[in-house]
Amino acid sequence: MESTVAQKLEALTKLQSIDSELDEIIKVRGALPEEVMDLEDEVAGYETRVGNHNSAIEELELSITNNKTAIKDSEKLIQKYEEQQMNVRNNREYDAITKEVELQQLEIQILEKRIKEAYAKIESRNEEILETKNALVERQKDLDNKRGELDNITAESEEEEKKLLKGREKAAAAIEERLLISYNKIRKNVKNGLAVVPVKRDACGGCFNVVPPQKQAEIRERKKLIVCEHCGRVLADVEDVEVEEKKPTRTRRTAKK
């Protein structure tokens, strides 16, 4: 059975009331959740940086090992060529072998240079790791402190928040999907999270723009959903302003002379 407009407004108002209470709980936490998230990202970034440096060092160490092996291979070739020079038959063979020896010696020089550069890079990486780890320790301390603050605040309202969330789930289930999507969209787009408001003193309770008398009459009838033409919030009710009766002023009698 489809809900009446009055029932829809009642359900929306109830959901808004629960959400407002949840907003107040979240407001108490202030910027702590965002600060914790930022610090978590920063710590994760430092950890990733350290990991990248360690991976780079492993690659450099592997290249050093490979280059040292290549030097030994070149030294063996040189020894082999020098032995062959002892048994050459002419100058052309001697010159060819000599050229091969020189090429291997040049290769050894290049490999030794690469090894030296790799060691320098490893030293630089280790220095960067040390700096990053020091920064990581400081940021981890900050994160632990912020987490502790947030956990303490969250613990104080944990039971109430759970109760409200359970109530919100029940209240949201009573609202048709299309209307709930619109409600959530409005809440997301307004600063104070108020998607359903009353008319107070002839003005929208959300943006405080004037609501014409005719529209106020339609809101009171509750025959259709009325939204503020300025901010798009649902206008659920019109609050009547109680006018205080003026007390009669007493006139002071002048005494007869």
Side-chain angles (χ1 to χ4, degrees):
M1 185 176 177
E2 190 176 346
S3 301
T4 64
V5 172
Q7 288 171 330
K8 289 176 181 179
L9 287 169
E10 186 179 347
L12 284 170
T13 303
K14 184 177 181 180
L15 181 60
Q16 179 64 76
S17 176
I18 294 171
D19 280 336
S20 294
E21 288 187 63
L22 285 167
D23 288 344
E24 286 301 315
I25 290 173
I26 292 169
K27 195 184 293 183
V28 172
R29 297 168 190 169
L32 277 174
E34 289 78 14
E35 289 174 6
V36 167
M37 285 179 65
D38 289 342
L39 284 168
E40 285 174 343
D41 290 341
E42 199 171 347
V43 166
Y46 282 130
E47 289 173 342
T48 300
R49 198 180 301 175
V50 171
N52 290 338
H53 284 317
N54 284 326
S55 296
I57 288 172
E58 287 177 6
E59 290 179 8
L60 288 166
E61 288 174 342
L62 180 60
S63 70
I64 289 170
T65 301
N66 292 337
N67 287 333
K68 285 181 177 180
T69 301
I71 287 173
K72 288 180 180 179
D73 292 340
S74 292
E75 288 173 344
K76 287 178 182 179
L77 285 172
I78 289 171
Q79 186 179 357
K80 178 184 174 182
Y81 291 142
E82 287 176 345
E83 289 174 358
Q84 288 177 354
Q85 278 181 329
M86 303 298 293
N87 301 313
V88 294
R89 290 172 292 181
N90 51 55
N91 288 337
R92 189 175 63 182
E93 288 182 4
Y94 183 87
D95 291 341
I97 292 172
T98 300
K99 189 176 181 180
E100 290 295 332
V101 170
E102 289 173 352
L103 285 172
Q104 292 303 319
Q105 288 173 339
L106 180 61
E107 180 68 15
I108 289 171
Q109 290 176 6
I110 292 170
L111 292 169
E112 286 176 342
K113 183 182 179 182
R114 287 177 182 171
I115 290 171
K116 188 177 179 180
E117 288 173 350
Y119 276 125
K121 288 179 181 178
I122 287 173
E123 185 177 353
S124 176
R125 291 275 185 177
N126 280 325
E127 288 175 0
E128 289 179 17
I129 285 174
L130 184 61
E131 290 177 7
T132 305
K133 282 185 175 179
N134 288 337
L136 175 58
V137 168
E138 291 302 314
R139 279 291 171 266
Q140 187 64 56
K141 286 180 183 176
D142 293 339
L143 176 57
D144 292 341
N145 290 334
K146 292 291 182 183
R147 271 181 180 163
E149 289 179 42
L150 182 58
D151 288 344
N152 288 337
I153 293 173
T154 303
E156 291 175 3
S157 58
E158 187 175 8
E159 290 302 317
E160 184 183 357
E161 188 174 2
K162 283 181 180 178
K163 185 179 177 181
L164 286 169
L165 287 170
K166 190 174 180 180
R168 189 192 192 281
E169 188 178 348
K170 185 178 179 181
I175 301 171
E176 60 186 80
E177 187 178 1
R178 180 185 59 81
L179 194 56
L180 184 61
I181 290 171
S182 297
Y183 167 83
N184 289 329
K185 188 176 180 181
I186 296 169
R187 260 181 61 80
K188 187 178 179 182
N189 292 334
V190 295
K191 288 183 179 179
N192 56 10
L194 294 176
V196 182
V197 294
V199 175
K200 292 182 179 180
R201 297 181 182 274
D202 299 327
C204 169
C207 66
F208 309 112
N209 279 292
V210 174
V211 179
Q214 178 59 38
K215 186 161 280 189
Q216 290 186 43
E218 291 176 0
I219 295 166
R220 282 193 172 96
E221 288 176 358
R222 293 197 163 199
K223 290 182 178 179
K224 62 180 180 178
L225 290 174
I226 307 293
V227 298
C228 175
E229 60 186 18
H230 299 283
C231 66
R233 291 177 171 91
V234 176
L235 300 172
D237 197 6
V238 178
E239 291 188 2
D240 294 318
V241 179
E242 293 183 4
V243 180
E244 291 185 6
E245 293 183 6
K246 290 185 178 181
K247 294 179 180 179
T249 53
R250 293 181 180 179
T251 55
R252 194 172 183 181
R253 293 181 180 179
T254 53
K256 292 181 179 180
K257 292 182 180 179

